[in-house]
């Protein structure tokens, strides 16, 4: 014979909001209070024969006004150097690059892949928008 006893029901702990020191909070730079990222959807039009592409970790968004660099933090649907991604002849290949946020004062920036050989991706004079989501053709 199996005898079941009623289990004690535990209430979840009450969560309280931590106290925030307004003076300390106001001394922190606003740029450190919010996470921001820049999303660059790249579309590589391969009009010629089958080709190979890749992205280097030394790819930056460079603010034209201040020279500030936002580094690449994630790449999706493209391989990182030294591995290559094949792109079929006549195809448009799309991939996503995610960068650190740009300075709030930035109005115009460049996407530059700094590499020690010819052929790095380079898109100049990209106008900043409110969403920080961009579609560029390479």
């Amino acid at each position: 014979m199996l005898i079941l006893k009623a289990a004690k029901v535990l209430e979840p702990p009450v969560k309280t909001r931590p106290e925030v020191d307004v003076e300390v909070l106001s001394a922190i730079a606003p740029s450190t209070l919010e996470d921001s990222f820049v999303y660059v959807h790249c579309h590589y039009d391969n009009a010629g024969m089958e080709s190979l592409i890749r992205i280097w970790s030394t790819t930056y968004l460079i603010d034209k006004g201040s020279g500030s660099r936002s580094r690449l933090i994630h790449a999706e649907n493209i391989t990182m150097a030294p591995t290559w991604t094949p792109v079929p002849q006549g195809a448009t290949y799309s991939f996503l690059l995610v960068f650190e946020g740009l300075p709030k004062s930035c109005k115009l920036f460049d996407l530059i892949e700094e590499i020690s050989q010819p052929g790095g991706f380079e898109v100049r004079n990209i106008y900043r928008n409110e969403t920080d989501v961009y579609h560029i053709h390479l």
Side-chain angles (χ1 to χ4, degrees):
M1 172 180 211
L2 181 63
I3 299 175
L4 298 175
K5 293 184 180 180
K8 181 178 179 184
V9 177
L10 299 175
E11 294 294 322
V14 177
K15 293 184 179 179
T16 59
R17 298 180 79 184
E19 292 295 318
V20 177
D21 187 334
V22 177
E23 287 181 36
V24 171
L25 190 60
S26 65
I28 299 173
S31 61
T32 62
L33 293 177
E34 60 183 68
D35 290 331
S36 64
F37 300 99
V38 179
Y39 300 89
V40 181
H41 295 270
C42 300
H43 310 283
Y44 175 72
D45 296 319
N46 183 17
M49 300 179 348
E50 181 177 54
S51 64
L52 299 169
I53 61 172
R54 61 186 174 182
I55 197 76
W56 291 64
S57 61
T58 53
T59 303
Y60 302 96
L61 300 180
I62 303 173
D63 176 14
K64 298 286 270 190
S66 70
S68 174
R69 293 169 173 249
S70 296
R71 68 182 178 88
L72 176 67
I73 57 174
H74 180 72
E76 211 168 284
N77 204 36
I78 188 168
T79 52
M80 297 295 291
T83 306
W84 291 96
T85 300
V87 180
Q89 177 180 349
T92 297
Y93 189 82
S94 298
F95 56 95
L96 172 66
L97 303 176
V98 182
F99 293 87
E100 293 175 328
L102 289 161
K104 292 192 183 302
S105 62
C106 176
K107 295 186 182 344
L108 188 68
F109 62 94
D110 297 332
L111 181 150
I112 305 291
E113 184 180 34
E114 294 181 347
I115 59 175
S116 59
Q117 60 193 51
F121 292 122
E122 186 174 301
V123 180
R124 301 239 179 224
N125 300 319
I126 302 169
Y127 286 94
R128 180 105 184 254
N129 63 37
E130 291 179 6
T131 62
D132 271 341
V133 176
Y134 303 89
H135 290 268
I136 61 172
H137 288 271
L138 304 166

